[in-house]
Amino acid sequence: MRSCNRVQFREVGATLRHGGVPGPAAMNAPTSRNCTPVIQAVDYVLPTGISSRAVKLSATVRGKTFTFQDVRAVMAKANEEKSGDALAGLAAQSSLERVAAKLVLSELTLADLHENPCIPYEQDAVTRLIWDELSRPVYQEVKGWTVGQLREHVLDDAVTGPDLLRLGRGLTSEMIAACAKLMGNLDLVVAARKIRVVVHANNTMGLEGRLGVRLQPNHPSDSIEGILASIKEGVSFGCGDAVIGVNPVTDDVGTCKAILEATHRFITDWRLPTQNCCLAHVTTQMKALEQGAKLHLMFQSLCGTEKGLKAFGVTIPMLFEAWDMTRKLGQATGPNVMYFETGQGSALSADAHHGVDQLTCEARNYGIARRFQPFMLNTVVGFIGPEYLYDARQIIRAGLEDHFMGKLHGISMGCDTCYTNHADADQNDLENLEVLLSAAGCNFFMGLPMGDDVMLNYQSSSFHDDAGLRQLLSLRPAPEFEAWLEEVGLMKNGKLTSRAGDPSFFGD
């Protein structure tokens, strides 16, 4: 079992003294007369619409007492450093304050978080969806746990992936976010590694020992010829088993239909066991589907608040309508037909965060997504820019947080390991994150020609990266896709052949 004290409280050399039943790490942790923090209860009147239960909102670290306004402030200041939280005026002002917030958070019970949502139930449709879908029997079993005890349970070697998937059904997104805030990077890898989320559309994603790739053949003018050229190169590297997904430049029904028809034709002609998707707005795809477009997966970007969803032109009823339509009119043979993208900072960028930190808003995205049993969801971890994740350290941290939180929500989780050209990061940093996430059991990455998206103008993982990760870590494509690669001679015994990487394999 990994120790919560050793990793997350080392910032100031503090150790945690549990107020309730001490966990094993706490009982064995060394203490220091000069730096043992003490959690203190304070009188506090909660805002209208929030529980009147008194909660502990103060901690003393190295002789300095920090008192926080409310649970929402504790959640924000317990975050690892993020430029977006600083931009929003929510971040801890010092490492001491951050550790004090973590200490207070570790002693809050799951019931405290349930009764003090960051955005009240009556004010936000996302909060209502998350609460209404909560497994009440599971929640009742664990509501008395502290967040620190939740963290220890998640990392306990005796607790299995299926155990965690059951537990996640009884946790709100804010409980899962709180747990992540108390975890180090290696904790996030270890915990996520336990959880396998297996889904099926036209093929199967999420199995142990497999790493999928979304082939992303974007083109700056939506040229079908150019898109197909990138598809041929990517598939020749063994990419595309997660989905062949195109971001259109022009979001209209005609363009959407043309992209879907071209990708579907390629998949059909080559008997390729995969899915297609055009990442237009959900309403554009619905209109294309109504007009007979050959669509496998329905896509939409998410935001973790009702206000943020409206800024994206989306409502929760609209997502239900799209989900129902795709199951009835879409071409996928399996039950999982939705594809979502998210990313820390999206709510703040839409001025729709309600004073909630960006990690917690991101967790709420997964609370939305799990209701729709998606085939795939990826955080676009560095895409929004350095205003929200300033440098490689913050991008890597966010990628690991998002992946863990998504999996504990029961979601088939991938990651676009990416950065924009004005961020303090480079390709080496992305490769570091790719290796960490592969070790954590990530379901899929992106695959782009040379890792450079010439349409969206950002850097991500390349066809070569994906092939290299599979070879290095003995990972393979989705089983149906691997069988096809073996059949056509692009792979043999789980390894790419000399014919791989040559798009002329598919002809003109």
Side-chain angles (χ1 to χ4, degrees):
M1 180 185 296
R2 290 181 52 76
S3 164
C4 88
N5 304 318
R6 181 167 62 103
V7 177
Q8 281 302 293
F9 299 106
R10 65 186 174 191
E11 201 164 5
V12 294
T15 57
L16 173 62
R17 188 164 73 202
H18 286 255
V21 178
M27 290 193 294
N28 298 323
T31 59
S32 167
R33 183 169 52 188
N34 295 325
C35 65
T36 302
V38 180
I39 306 298
Q40 299 174 337
V42 298
D43 293 328
Y44 176 65
V45 179
L46 291 155
T48 302
I50 304 296
S51 168
S52 60
R53 170 185 165 87
V55 291
K56 298 176 181 180
L57 295 170
S58 181
T60 299
V61 181
R62 285 189 170 176
K64 184 173 182 179
T65 298
F66 297 88
T67 300
F68 303 98
Q69 180 179 1
D70 52 25
V71 171
R72 183 170 57 184
V74 172
M75 291 279 282
K77 295 182 186 298
N79 259 357
E80 294 300 296
E81 185 178 6
K82 306 280 177 61
S83 55
D85 290 333
L87 179 66
L90 303 174
Q93 297 300 300
S94 66
S95 60
L96 284 178
E97 186 179 26
R98 182 174 297 110
V99 168
K102 288 178 185 287
L103 288 167
V104 172
L105 182 60
S106 73
E107 290 294 327
L108 294 180
T109 67
L110 302 186
D112 290 333
L113 296 179
H114 182 269
E115 294 165 10
N116 294 274
C118 287
I119 309 174
Y121 181 94
E122 63 273 15
Q123 295 179 16
D124 185 83
V126 176
T127 301
R128 292 193 291 274
L129 178 67
I130 293 168
W131 275 36
D132 293 348
E133 293 298 320
L134 197 65
S135 171
R136 294 294 160 180
V138 177
Y139 170 69
Q140 289 297 324
E141 293 174 14
V142 300
K143 67 179 183 179
W145 291 7
T146 66
V147 178
Q149 288 170 326
L150 172 62
R151 179 201 175 280
E152 293 293 313
H153 180 82
V154 165
L155 291 170
D156 191 327
D157 289 340
V159 176
T160 66
D163 294 336
L164 292 177
L165 286 173
R166 179 183 182 275
L167 172 64
R169 292 171 46 232
L171 302 177
T172 66
S173 300
E174 287 158 29
M175 297 172 197
I176 293 173
C179 185
K181 293 168 192 282
L182 299 185
M183 299 171 78
N185 285 5
L186 187 54
D187 296 332
L188 295 166
V189 171
V190 169
R193 175 75 184 184
K194 296 182 183 184
I195 304 170
R196 305 304 310 187
V197 181
V198 180
V199 290
H200 189 84
N202 293 332
N203 62 15
T204 308
M205 296 294 297
L207 294 169
E208 182 71 35
R210 305 285 174 171
L211 175 63
V213 181
R214 170 194 160 186
L215 204 168
Q216 185 169 311
N218 296 343
H219 191 276
S221 65
D222 290 330
S223 163
I224 296 300
E225 183 180 4
I227 289 169
L228 289 172
S230 292
I231 290 174
K232 291 174 182 178
E233 182 184 11
V235 174
S236 74
F237 274 106
C239 299
D241 52 338
V243 68
I244 298 175
V246 184
N247 297 85
V249 177
T250 305
D251 194 320
D252 62 37
V253 176
T255 300
C256 183
K257 285 183 65 178
I259 289 172
L260 289 171
E261 292 298 329
T263 52
H264 185 269
R265 189 181 314 113
F266 181 86
I267 289 170
T268 301
D269 289 348
W270 284 93
R271 298 180 295 108
L272 200 61
T274 189
Q275 300 69 223
N276 74 345
C277 183
C278 179
L279 284 74
H281 191 270
V282 65
T283 54
T284 304
Q285 296 168 80
M286 290 167 71
K287 291 175 183 176
L289 194 53
E290 287 177 325
Q291 295 179 21
K294 306 295 186 182
L295 177 148
H296 295 130
L297 300 182
M298 177 69 70
F299 169 81
Q300 181 54 45
S301 295
L302 298 179
C303 195
T305 69
E306 181 179 8
K307 183 179 178 182
L309 287 175
K310 288 180 177 178
F312 287 8
V314 180
T315 64
I316 289 173
M318 185 186 297
L319 293 176
F320 276 106
E321 183 182 357
W323 185 34
D324 184 61
M325 179 182 293
T326 308
R327 287 182 293 176
K328 291 177 179 177
L329 301 180
Q331 302 290 314
T333 58
N336 306 109
V337 297
M338 298 297 283
Y339 175 19
F340 296 118
E341 281 192 342
T342 67
Q344 288 194 31
S346 59
L348 176 58
S349 70
D351 191 27
H353 60 97
H354 295 275
V356 179
D357 66 273
Q358 63 185 42
L359 185 152
T360 303
C361 284
E362 178 70 7
R364 288 164 59 92
N365 287 329
Y366 309 140
I368 300 169
R370 70 176 164 186
R371 179 62 182 84
F372 299 95
Q373 304 167 25
F375 182 73
M376 54 194 297
L377 184 155
N378 62 263
T379 171
V380 192
V381 69
F383 181 75
I384 304 179
E387 298 84 1
Y388 309 97
L389 296 170
Y390 179 73
D391 57 14
R393 179 172 60 86
Q394 294 186 15
I395 291 171
I396 288 171
R397 172 69 189 186
L400 297 175
E401 290 169 341
D402 295 353
H403 180 248
F404 162 72
M405 294 192 300
K407 277 193 158 184
L408 192 50
H409 277 85
I411 290 170
S412 169
M413 196 69 190
C415 184
D416 188 346
T417 57
C418 63
Y419 66 95
T420 54
N421 290 315
H422 60 312
D424 186 10
D426 62 23
Q427 201 66 32
N428 292 322
D429 300 313
L430 297 194
E431 291 171 6
N432 291 342
L433 179 55
E434 289 160 15
V435 172
L436 286 168
L437 285 171
S438 296
C442 189
N443 273 13
F444 66 95
F445 294 126
M446 306 298 109
L448 287 72
M450 300 304 292
D452 183 13
D453 192 309
V454 295
M455 190 276 277
L456 291 173
N457 195 29
Y458 78 114
Q459 311 304 310
S460 184
S461 46
S462 69
F463 302 146
H464 301 76
D465 293 339
D466 300 322
L469 286 165
R470 283 173 172 166
Q471 181 174 327
L472 173 67
L473 300 173
S474 299
L475 299 170
R476 297 186 176 194
E480 303 91 339
F481 200 85
E482 180 185 7
W484 179 86
L485 291 168
E486 295 262 357
E487 179 185 338
V488 300
L490 289 170
M491 184 170 276
K492 184 176 182 180
N493 297 325
K495 294 185 178 181
L496 293 174
T497 66
S498 60
R499 303 180 72 182
D502 180 4
S504 68
F505 174 87
F506 296 99
D508 297 333

